[in-house]
Amino acid sequence: MKIKELLDKKGYGVYDISPEAKVSGVVDILVRFNIGDVLVLDHRRKLVGIVSERDVIRKCIHQKRRLDDVTVSEIMTKDVIVAFPEDDLEYVLGLMTQNRIRHVPIIKKEGDLVGLVSIGDLVKGLL
């Protein structure tokens, strides 16, 4: 099965935030929508990073930094591992396992964001 087929069933919606936003905004999105990651998009709606629950805990809470004093760009992962709609689920699952990540943004070859898949999405798709 291809990622595109999975997204056709799951949906293409993503939750995002700007790099200039405060981390408290990320936490609000994570809690309100019960998700594990928020994509970081610039003013052109291009993917520039990703922020996970772990990022918030390790880079803010553990360092005792106030969430309203830290910008998303300070804690986001900038070297985002991505996949393409044409990729096989098994390939992306291997990518996630190898890199120890739980979410992968899906982009077109031109760089436009089209969706996000989680490790749970892939396991469900393979079953």
Side-chain angles (χ1 to χ4, degrees), residues 65-125:
R65 297 176 72 191
R66 289 180 30 114
L67 302 180
D68 286 330
D69 294 339
V70 182
T71 62
V72 171
S73 63
E74 291 178 68
I75 71 163
M76 70 184 188
T77 298
K78 295 178 178 107
D79 295 325
V80 182
I81 294 168
V82 299
F84 301 97
E86 303 81 21
D87 288 337
D88 290 318
L89 268 56
E90 294 90 350
Y91 168 77
V92 179
L93 188 58
L95 192 66
M96 294 170 101
T97 302
Q98 184 177 31
N99 289 284
R100 303 186 73 217
I101 56 176
R102 296 177 295 153
H103 296 86
V104 173
I106 308 303
I107 63 168
K108 293 180 184 175
K109 298 282 185 203
E110 306 81 42
D112 295 331
L113 178 69
V114 295
L116 178 77
V117 295
S118 71
I119 198 158
D121 296 331
L122 296 178
V123 170
K124 285 178 200 170

Side-chain angles (χ1 to χ4, degrees), residues 35-57:
I35 57 174
D37 287 84
V38 176
L39 298 180
V40 185
L41 305 181
D42 67 11
H43 66 280
R44 299 169 300 158
R45 306 287 299 158
K46 294 292 182 185
L47 180 67
V48 295
I50 190 169
V51 179
S52 70
E53 297 164 317
R54 288 180 183 175
D55 293 326
V56 174
I57 291 168

